[in-house]
Structures are given as C-alpha cells and as structure tokens.
Amino acid sequence: MADEYERLCDFQNLYAAHKAACRGKRGKFEVIDFEMNLAVNLCDLQSALANKNYTPKGYNHFKIYEPKKREIFAPSYADRVVQHCLCDNILMPALESRLIFDNAACRKNKGTHFAINRLSGFMRDFYRKHGTQGYFLKCDIRKYFENINHAVLKKKLHKIWGDTDIGALLCKIIDSYENTHGVGLPLGNQTSQWFALYYLDRIDRLIKEQLQINYYTRYMDDFVLIYRDKEYLKQCLAKIREVCENELNIQMNDKTQIFPIKNGVDYLGWHFYLTDTGKVIRKLRTSNKKSLKRRMKKIAQKYSDSIIEMDDVSRSIASTYGHLKHGHTYRLRNKLSWETVFGRTSRSQRGSK
C-alpha cells in the first residue's frame, strides 16, 4: 500500500496525469494558467501529497442540458490532475479486477458500444434457446450520483485500502462534496465515476452469483436482466430492492419494471427489439431523435452566426454519423448532409456576410 502512495506522488506520474487532463482543453484559461508555471505547479502538488496536506479546492458549478439536464460540479484543474493520477495509477488497477465483466461504463475497452453489443448478443442467444417467450427486467436508480451514501462508500473502500494514506485521501475527496449531509458525489469528478462503478458491485454479484442471471448488463445505474420466467424476475427485483434500500441506502426509480421481450427495451439511448426471426433491431429512441435535431439546429445557427467554422460542422456530423452506424438508422443517416440538415440557403447567406 505504501508503494501505491509513492506512485501517486511520483513527479512523472503527475506530469502524465496533467497531459491526460489537458487533452482537448488546452485553450481554457485555467489550463493555460497552470502550464505557465507547469514545473512549479506540479512540484507544489507533489509536495502537498507527499506531506499529506493536500486538500481539494472546491467546485465550479454549472448545468448542461444534453443529453438531459444535469448539474455539474467541476473540480479545479490542479484537482483534476491529482484525480487523473489517482484513477490511472491506483483506482483503476485495484478496482478493475474486482468488477464483473458486464459492468460496462468508463472502463478500458468498454463503454456504451460494448454494452449495447452485449445486450444484442444476449437477446440473440436467448432467442435461440427460448424464442420470444421471456421478459426483461429494466432497472434504474433514482438520482444515483446524488444519493450515493458516503458512509457506505467509505466502508466498501476501507475493505481494499483500510487505514492507509490512499484510504485517507479517498475519504477526503468523498467528503469534499455532498448533496445533503453525508450523501452525494459530484458528476465532474473522475473519481466519482470509479466510486459509482464499484458502489453497485454488490448488486452485480447478487444478480450474477446468487440469482444466477446469465443475461445481464449494467452501464452505471442503468441495467437490464433477461429471463424466461416473469415470476422469478419479480423475486429478483424484490431482492435487488432489498439490497439497494437496506445495504446501499439508494432506491429504484419509476422506470424500473418487468415487461415481455416482444415489447423491446430502452437502453443507453436505443430501443432494442426482436423480430420473429430472431434478428435484433436497434432504433434510436424518439427522445434522442428530438435531441439530435435540436443539437443540429444549434450547430447550424452557430455556423450561420460565424461562431464556428465548417470544419467544426463537419466533425460534428461525422461524429453523429459514426454513433448512428451502431443502430438501424439508414434513413436517419442519409439526412446527415449539409443540404438536409443545414439547408442550402444557410451556406449562401454565410458566404454573403
């Protein structure tokens, strides 16, 4: 454990963390300011960590509205460097081996595309064995990050790090924010992602090891089970609720329900359903289509107002096109051209300015 803290305080590791933290953010004032005295700032962080007097500086609060309204509490840039170093060198190596394979969010070689492909594979395999005679149990946690209990989280982390310097630092970071007394993690912290991944590991183990559900995937607090017997899924849900409420101090929201496979299921912005031949179809959810149209309109307006350049527009279209290729969205992708999304007149109007 002492070696872990030494890795955190290593200057080269802190420099690598800075390189990762500033990626894509080099034009921001706080990054420029940090890099103006890079060696001094990194030495100050190294000294504060080595002397055990490092303290998070607080959070910058703002809201985002895509894909839905969220409140973000972003740490200072120096704190982001520390968290990158902590996550890359300590949390990730220690927690990766403790997480189940189908815990998909924010992990190397995983993510949303991994999760949706796993669900598609589960549905195809289920069809080969049982046809469409089965059910989904779709679960979602009510305001997950806002309701993670500090005492419960610290107890889970204490089993790994105990009363070590790393354990004390993790507790300090956890206590640097709260939604209500002793509850809540800030969405802007990189450590929050790893804490949230591990917090529901008890649920993962319950579902895979005790309840013996083979077809199960989780992306953060959004998870899906597939089973042939509705009554057994009701029992599963009751046990999941019990653990969530009594051990983890969190609750399911109203989206949690059981329904037939033939109805399909919403997961990570897509609607999945099986055809009579066993083919899995992935369609973009209606709400996501509306969100996409709003975003494209905003980009078109920014281009028309000379706020962004055509290269920015092209990159945005290419990124969206790449995402849509992961579903059955042929017609929608065909609309992602300049003329159909932004209109022929906008280009001529921009050129005449």
Side-chain angles (χ1 to χ4, degrees), residues 119-120 122-123 126 132-139 215 217 223-230 233-234 237 256-267 271-274 280:
L119 181 57
S120 295
F122 290 154
M123 291 172 68
F126 185 90
T132 57
Q133 302 305 306
Y135 297 86
F136 290 113
L137 167 53
K138 175 69 161 51
C139 300
Y215 303 128
T217 177
F223 48 105
V224 178
L225 297 74
I226 310 175
Y227 198 71
R228 63 183 182 275
D229 183 5
K230 185 177 182 179
L233 282 181
K234 287 182 179 179
L237 178 55
T256 299
Q257 55 184 311
I258 299 170
F259 42 87
I261 280 182
K262 62 183 179 181
N263 290 5
V265 64
D266 288 340
Y267 186 53
H271 183 73
F272 296 70
Y273 64 93
L274 275 168
V280 177

Side-chain angles (χ1 to χ4, degrees), residues 28 51 83 113 137 172 318:
K28 293 187 176 294
N51 294 326
Q83 291 203 25
H113 296 148
L137 167 53
K172 188 179 291 188

Side-chain angles (χ1 to χ4, degrees), residues 202-219:
R202 172 71 176 91
I203 298 298
D204 295 337
R205 301 292 172 180
L206 169 68
I207 293 170
K208 295 293 291 184
E209 297 169 6
Q210 293 177 238
L211 301 176
Q212 297 286 301
I213 299 294
N214 293 324
Y215 303 128
Y216 167 70
T217 177
R218 174 165 77 88
Y219 191 93

Side-chain angles (χ1 to χ4, degrees), residues 269-284:
W270 299 90
H271 183 73
F272 296 70
Y273 64 93
L274 275 168
T275 67
D276 292 335
T277 60
K279 182 178 180 181
V280 177
I281 303 296
R282 295 198 295 239
K283 292 286 189 180
L284 201 64

Side-chain angles (χ1 to χ4, degrees), residues 226-244:
I226 310 175
Y227 198 71
R228 63 183 182 275
D229 183 5
K230 185 177 182 179
E231 292 304 314
Y232 185 67
L233 282 181
K234 287 182 179 179
Q235 297 174 33
C236 292
L237 178 55
K239 291 180 180 180
I240 293 169
R241 284 190 191 277
E242 181 183 355
V243 171
C244 282

Side-chain angles (χ1 to χ4, degrees), residues 5-42:
Y5 202 80
E6 289 176 6
R7 291 204 305 271
L8 178 66
C9 299
D10 182 81
F11 185 88
Q12 291 301 321
N13 287 340
L14 286 169
Y15 177 70
H18 155 67
K19 298 290 284 185
C22 74
R23 195 172 296 127
K25 300 179 176 66
R26 272 253 158 73
K28 293 187 176 294
F29 173 78
E30 60 177 346
V31 178
I32 295 172
D33 185 57
F34 191 88
E35 288 192 319
M36 290 289 289
N37 294 288
L38 181 59
V40 172
N41 288 326
L42 289 177

Side-chain angles (χ1 to χ4, degrees), residues 131-169:
T132 57
Q133 302 305 306
Y135 297 86
F136 290 113
L137 167 53
K138 175 69 161 51
C139 300
D140 204 340
I141 306 298
R142 177 177 290 117
K143 296 182 178 179
Y144 181 46
F145 279 80
E146 294 179 27
N147 288 305
I148 289 178
N149 185 279
H150 288 189
V152 173
L153 176 59
K154 289 177 184 177
K155 184 177 180 180
K156 289 173 69 68
L157 296 174
H158 189 270
K159 293 178 181 178
I160 304 174
W161 283 284
D163 297 320
T164 63
D165 292 331
I166 290 294
L169 178 60

